[in-house]
Amino acid sequence: MYAGRIAEIGPVHEVINHSSHPYTAGLMAAIPDITIDRERLNQIDGAMPRLNAIPAGCAYNPRCPRVFDRCLVERPDLLDAGATRAACWLHDASIAARLDLAKATT
């Protein structure tokens, strides 16, 4: 959950090991790996919004490393994301197709 809304839902193993929402991926990356010696832990930049000041669009957009225009204006519902469902426009079929095309041409 993020800002009072479900960010991702699905089988625990899938959510933990194959996160589909950037927030879930950030949370999983923040878990320390005891086999690696680090001075600093990974963290998600920024801060949670106050519940009376949730931004328009996706509530995670100010902190999201993959934000794009639609995230700023339209709140996503839970979308199919493989074995999970994620409230993220990256899993909208039309967006995913454009992102795949962009990757193929770079």
Side-chain angles (χ1 to χ4, degrees):
M1 291 196 69
Y2 186 82
R5 296 194 176 109
I6 296 172
E8 185 169 359
I9 191 166
V12 173
H13 181 273
E14 292 296 324
V15 172
I16 290 172
N17 294 300
H18 307 287
S19 303
S20 296
H21 192 285
Y23 177 61
T24 312
L27 289 177
M28 296 302 105
I31 298 171
D33 181 342
I34 61 171
T35 65
I36 299 172
D37 188 24
R38 292 184 178 219
E39 289 186 29
R40 292 191 61 162
L41 298 175
N42 291 333
Q43 63 183 20
I44 299 171
D45 291 335
M48 286 272 301
R50 292 184 178 155
L51 294 181
N52 65 353
I54 295 174
C58 174
Y60 189 60
N61 78 58
R63 303 174 75 189
C64 185
R66 301 189 65 193
V67 67
F68 57 96
D69 293 344
R70 189 174 185 185
C71 307
L72 304 175
V73 295
E74 194 174 346
R75 187 178 93 205
D77 290 324
L78 287 170
L79 301 168
D80 288 332
T84 68
R85 293 176 53 80
C88 181
W89 290 120
L90 292 170
H91 300 289
D92 180 292
S94 64
I95 299 295
R98 281 187 272 169
L99 292 173
D100 286 342
L101 180 62
K103 285 180 193 174
T105 60
T106 57

